[in-house]
Amino acid sequence: MQYTNLGRSGLRVSRLCLGTMNFGWQIGEAESHAILDRALAEGINFVDTADMYGARDYEGTAERYIGSWFAASGKRDAVVLATKVYQPMGDGPNDRGLSARHIVAACEASLRRLGTDRIDLYQMHHVDRGTPWEEIWQAMDRLVAQGKVLYVGSSNFAGWHLAGAQAAAMKRHSLGLVSEQLKYSLLTRHVEMEVVPAAQALGIGLLPWSPLAQGLLSGALRKHRDGAAGRSTSHAAARVAEHREVLERYEAFCDDLGLEPAAVALAWLLARPGVTAPVIGPRTVGQLDVPLQALETTLSDDAERRLEELFPPVGNGGPGPEAWAW
């Protein structure tokens, strides 16, 4: 396994992050535990979840499954544990968002479900335009001072949100954000205009979610032809018509390389500037095989150029303002 620092922090994490959005939604507790066992055995020490993940609202099922795995395995100290706050976790008006009240209450609830005394990376699941950064950082700093949170990250932020959050943290002499979890793949490259360069300038590590574009980059066309489509590719079928031509060329290109499409997509992301670890979401133990192969895959310059032709960047390419101006 390969490891790297999470952003500018000293925290070392695996180059793949195990996402658990399917825990409690697509798979049960036993299957979730088996995936955690395999991931840790392969050296994946970075596990990402959220308080709202699970089949039923407000129950925090994914966190509960991870907590029961910690209790059974005794492996809490081997894992860099990340979870999130923002989404509704109750019917009350203060059971959501990033108010100081909700941040503290949600953290305490996550700790109980996870059966741990600390969250290694506590991520804001979305920007809260109705709460000032001073209030947000007051709550986060309190949790850090209490040892309940070690690092703070964000998710789904715009570039200027990263800058604003970091400026407010600096005024408080806080470390601020060390990571941003963002939607980023060969098919979704708009973040390269502002979010990626902002994160790089601020020392914020990038954790791409949906790195396979909801299954479209995992060989979706081939799986449908072979009758092997699962949930993710079935979901992608509603969108596949829009991208069919480029996906046909992409899958043919991957065949020429002798590589699985998912491995190529992940290898491309792993080589992007600022990327710490793509967040993968397997539903079976076997679905970890191809992401692990991606760690050993190095794309040639010619392959990189071909991928740029197939999936060109937004605008004129590169960061703004060059992406849309001169």
Side-chain angles (χ1 to χ4, degrees), residues 169-183:
M170 290 175 65
K171 287 182 180 179
R172 298 178 59 87
H173 304 289
S174 300
L175 178 63
L177 301 173
V178 299
S179 64
E180 158 63 14
Q181 196 169 142
L182 70 174
K183 190 175 184 179

Side-chain angles (χ1 to χ4, degrees), residues 4 37 94 169 173 175 195 203 207 241 244 264 301 312 319:
T4 189
D37 285 337
N94 290 307
H173 304 289
L175 178 63
V195 180
L207 307 175
R244 177 175 293 277
V264 173
D301 291 343

Side-chain angles (χ1 to χ4, degrees), residues 194-278:
E194 293 204 21
V195 180
V196 171
Q200 286 185 271
L202 295 167
I204 296 171
L206 300 173
L207 307 175
W209 64 267
S210 193
L212 301 179
Q214 296 174 293
L216 289 179
L217 297 170
S218 67
L221 296 179
R222 183 181 65 194
K223 291 176 182 178
H224 277 287
R225 286 194 298 267
D226 295 345
R231 179 206 61 84
S232 61
T233 49
S234 296
H235 177 69
R239 301 164 52 235
V240 75
E242 178 185 356
H243 302 287
R244 177 175 293 277
E245 181 180 351
V246 70
L247 290 177
E248 287 176 347
R249 289 186 285 145
Y250 174 64
E251 293 187 17
F253 172 65
C254 293
D255 287 341
D256 290 343
L257 293 176
L259 296 170
E260 289 291 327
V264 173
L266 289 169
W268 179 85
L269 265 180
L270 286 162
R272 293 308 93 197
V275 168
T276 297

Side-chain angles (χ1 to χ4, degrees), residues 12 16 29 63 81 92 105 140 143 178 206 212 254 265 314 322:
R12 300 286 287 178
L16 292 175
E29 190 168 17
E63 288 187 335
L81 176 63
M140 291 297 188
L143 294 171
V178 299
L206 300 173
L212 301 179
C254 293
V314 179
E322 291 86 353

